[in-house]
Amino acid sequence: MEIIEIILTNNPCYRAGKKIAVKGLMLHSVGCPQPSAETFVKKWNTPEASRACVHAFIDGNTGKVYQTLPWEHRAWHCGGNANSTHIGVEMCEPACIHYTGGASFTCTDEQAALAVVQRTYNTAVELFAFLCKKFGLNPLEDGVIISHKEGHKRGLASGHGDPEHLWSGIKCGYTMDGFRKEIANTIANAAEIAARANVKAEATANNNTVIQAVSSSFQAGVVQTSDLFQAGSIVALTADAVYYTGKAMPDWVKNDRWIIRSISGDRAVLGKNIAATHEINSPVHIKYLKTADNKALNMPPAPSLNNKAPEISPPALSLNNKAPEMPPPAPLFNSKAPEGATAKNTGEMEVSEKGVALIAKYEGCRLEAYKCPAGVWTIGYGHTAGVKQGDKLPSQEAAKTLLKRDLKKYSGYVNDCIKKEILIFKPNQNQFDALTSFCYNCGNGTLQKLIKDRDAATIADKMLLYNKGGGKALAGLARRREEERALFLS
């Protein structure tokens, strides 16, 4: 990551000189087809830009960070109270999109757009990890890292939909939950690398020459031997990378980071990308691999002259002395889906099999990817993240496994409402299942509107009102609300 400091000294936000106690970070995208950060730097470095200033832009062409305000200066980036608590960062957007109204847009070059989105996303992960360490923030703590859209839902920002509208429109599969977890993962990896560096620094003087050579190769990021990687390692690709067969490799593949599925000799098979939105299962010669800016998850210990690797137990991420729990890998399309992971006992409620069955009944199941009425590629029981044309699931059982994983997000919303006392009573299992089904169908914002400060009887009655689509009452939605209500009251 490269940070270019170009402070907007003529902008009123800088001149006001107001400071904030940094409590969080807010991610934006610029909302127009402009990949150049310098364009915004020039436009906003004037006394007239009184209602527009962020702390940094991420350039869509290069991935470079343009810091435009000191991090602790108060900016005007979200139109709400988060201006006084959160650092604001804008990701530039592809030039090949065209806004047609509101957050809707068309795209003339999907691969080029995807490359820009991946580039800005990857840099945003690094930048936010850096800022979390700088200000002692836990990226997994509620409200610390939010999007402009999430800020609006919390009443902290104006009514924008970025950057989720961009990620959804490009169909790249990125989410804010995944973004936060990847930041935590990046911080944890940095701690592991630092630990290994400390071990190397303690080597004897006779070993210094060898160890310095190894250290140089890590710093360069270029790997010449498969010994530095293993299955599960995260890697980047060199600019001249091609597939093992010599076939050309598209830029969107070279611009992403990938998880090694297997490795043998000079042949590494790349599986999923780091965001789990694409899987290529393609072999690459190891000469084209490099450490993902020294972020390999399974980086081996440095070698010693005694041909015995030192035993190292990498430290866990120190964020309030608690290491983040990373999610299980998503199930693979066109293959047997792995068994769902058992949740740890966190005291939170989970949707039961009865609830899953109700949701599955009304969602319906399709094993081949299709476009829903909103034009979004969908598969299984309403799953959309990372789905593309041609994707298939091997069985209804695999679709059910995928549904259960999706429901962790929506049952999490219900648990959040319980913890924040938006729901003023402790629900029983049937009530929890009914609310999870409602949330999966109507969304978190509508769930909160339904339950806020209401008793169970009122919630049950009001639930029946949410039976419309396109302004018209729909028989299918009416039946679903009736069954959710009956479950809620049982």
Side-chain angles (χ1 to χ4, degrees):
M1 177 183 66
E2 180 179 353
I3 299 178
I4 301 171
E5 189 175 292
I6 304 181
I7 304 301
L8 305 184
T9 55
N10 293 320
N11 187 284
C13 283
Y14 176 80
R15 291 188 169 188
K18 294 182 178 180
K19 301 296 179 67
I20 64 172
V22 179
K23 297 181 179 179
L25 315 172
M26 183 176 284
L27 184 65
H28 304 261
S29 65
V30 294
C32 63
Q34 177 53 262
S36 170
E38 291 185 3
T39 298
F40 294 98
V41 170
K42 293 175 182 177
K43 180 179 179 180
W44 288 8
N45 194 23
T46 65
E48 290 74 32
S50 59
R51 304 288 281 184
C53 197
V54 295
H55 294 87
F57 290 91
I58 300 176
D59 191 277
N61 295 321
T62 66
K64 294 179 181 179
V65 177
Y66 287 72
Q67 183 184 352
T68 48
L69 278 181
W71 299 122
E72 294 174 271
H73 262 55
R74 184 182 186 274
W76 186 268
H77 60 87
C78 71
N81 291 339
N83 286 327
S84 300
T85 56
H86 284 58
I87 291 172
V89 176
E90 293 268 10
M91 298 182 295
C92 292
E93 298 186 10
C96 53
I97 63 175
H98 173 69
Y99 280 89
T100 56
S104 301
F105 60 85
T106 58
C107 180
T108 57
D109 190 335
E110 291 185 1
Q111 283 201 349
L114 183 61
V116 171
V117 170
Q118 289 175 331
R119 190 176 297 121
T120 55
Y121 177 91
N122 290 340
T123 297
V125 169
E126 295 183 63
L127 176 61
F128 277 45
F130 162 76
L131 292 172
C132 280
K133 288 187 286 185
K134 180 178 178 67
F135 292 101
L137 303 174
N138 181 347
L140 301 180
E141 185 178 328
D142 182 58
V144 170
I145 293 179
I146 56 176
S147 66
H148 195 153
K149 181 179 180 179
E150 291 175 328
H152 175 61
K153 288 183 177 179
R154 291 168 176 264
L156 302 173
S158 56
H160 288 206
D162 58 303
E164 288 97 320
H165 81 289
L166 178 64
W167 295 343
S168 175
I170 298 297
K171 298 181 177 64
C172 60
Y174 293 141
T175 66
M176 285 303 297
D177 284 342
F179 180 67
R180 287 182 276 264
K181 288 169 183 173
E182 201 169 338
I183 293 165
N185 191 30
T186 298
I187 297 171
N189 295 337
E192 179 177 347
I193 292 166
R196 298 197 186 284
N198 288 337
V199 171
K200 287 188 284 186
E202 293 171 1
T204 63
N206 290 335
N207 287 345
N208 280 345
T209 301
V210 173
I211 291 174
Q212 286 173 3
V214 174
S215 177
S216 297
S217 70
F218 278 118
Q219 293 296 324
V222 179
V223 180
Q224 299 298 334
T225 169
S226 61
D227 290 340
L228 295 181
F229 291 109
Q230 59 187 15
S233 295
I234 295 178
V235 295
L237 293 157
T238 61
D240 60 341
V242 296
Y243 291 119
Y244 198 81
T245 59
K247 183 180 177 181
M249 182 181 291
D251 287 341
W252 69 267
V253 175
K254 289 190 278 189
N255 290 332
D256 209 337
R257 289 178 289 166
W258 299 91
I259 300 173
I260 294 179
R261 184 169 183 175
S262 63
I263 190 164
S264 178
D266 63 3
R267 185 177 183 272
V269 177
L270 305 182
K272 290 184 178 183
N273 65 343
I274 187 68
T277 56
H278 295 82
E279 183 174 12
I280 57 175
N281 293 324
S282 299
V284 178
H285 195 289
I286 61 170
K287 68 182 179 181
Y288 296 122
L289 301 183
K290 58 182 180 179
T291 59
D293 295 326
N294 284 348
K295 291 186 179 66
L297 284 176
N298 296 297
M299 189 181 294
S304 71
L305 291 184
N306 296 324
N307 295 321
K308 183 178 180 181
E311 296 182 2
I312 306 172
S313 297
L317 167 63
S318 178
L319 291 169
N320 300 327
N321 297 320
K322 184 178 179 181
E325 295 181 4
M326 302 310 295
L332 310 179
F333 294 130
N334 305 318
S335 66
K336 183 178 180 181
E339 295 296 323
T342 301
K344 292 186 177 181
N345 183 14
T346 62
E348 294 189 345
M349 298 182 71
E350 295 183 357
V351 64
S352 72
E353 288 297 329
K354 183 189 295 186
V356 173
L358 187 153
I359 294 166
K361 173 182 175 180
Y362 284 100
E363 291 295 332
C365 180
R366 293 175 64 173
L367 300 182
E368 293 191 19
Y370 65 96
K371 277 191 175 181
C372 73
V376 178
W377 284 105
T378 308
I379 201 167
Y381 293 97
H383 178 77
T384 59
V387 181
K388 60 185 182 301
Q389 186 176 10
D391 283 340
K392 296 180 181 179
L393 287 169
S395 65
Q396 205 161 348
E397 181 184 352
K400 185 69 71 69
T401 299
L402 188 57
L403 171 63
K404 289 180 180 179
R405 289 186 176 170
D406 285 346
L407 288 178
K408 290 182 183 297
K409 173 181 177 181
Y410 293 90
S411 62
Y413 289 142
V414 181
N415 278 308
D416 285 344
C417 289
I418 298 169
K419 287 187 290 187
K420 296 175 182 177
E421 299 183 350
I422 298 171
L423 184 65
I424 60 176
F425 58 91
K426 177 72 173 179
N428 62 32
Q429 185 63 57
N430 287 344
Q431 290 170 331
F432 185 86
D433 289 349
L435 292 176
T436 301
S437 175
F438 182 90
C439 183
Y440 191 71
N441 182 232
C442 299
N444 185 33
T446 305
L447 170 70
Q448 294 187 34
K449 182 179 178 181
L450 169 69
I451 67 177
K452 184 172 175 59
D453 298 329
R454 286 174 172 166
D455 59 26
T458 304
I459 291 172
D461 289 341
K462 296 293 185 182
M463 191 179 288
L464 299 178
L465 301 177
Y466 295 87
N467 64 350
K468 298 179 179 63
K472 297 180 180 180
L474 301 177
L477 281 180
R479 289 193 298 271
R480 181 168 184 164
R481 295 291 93 85
E482 288 282 1
E483 192 163 342
E484 288 169 346
R485 181 178 183 273
L487 178 63
F488 187 85
L489 292 174
S490 62

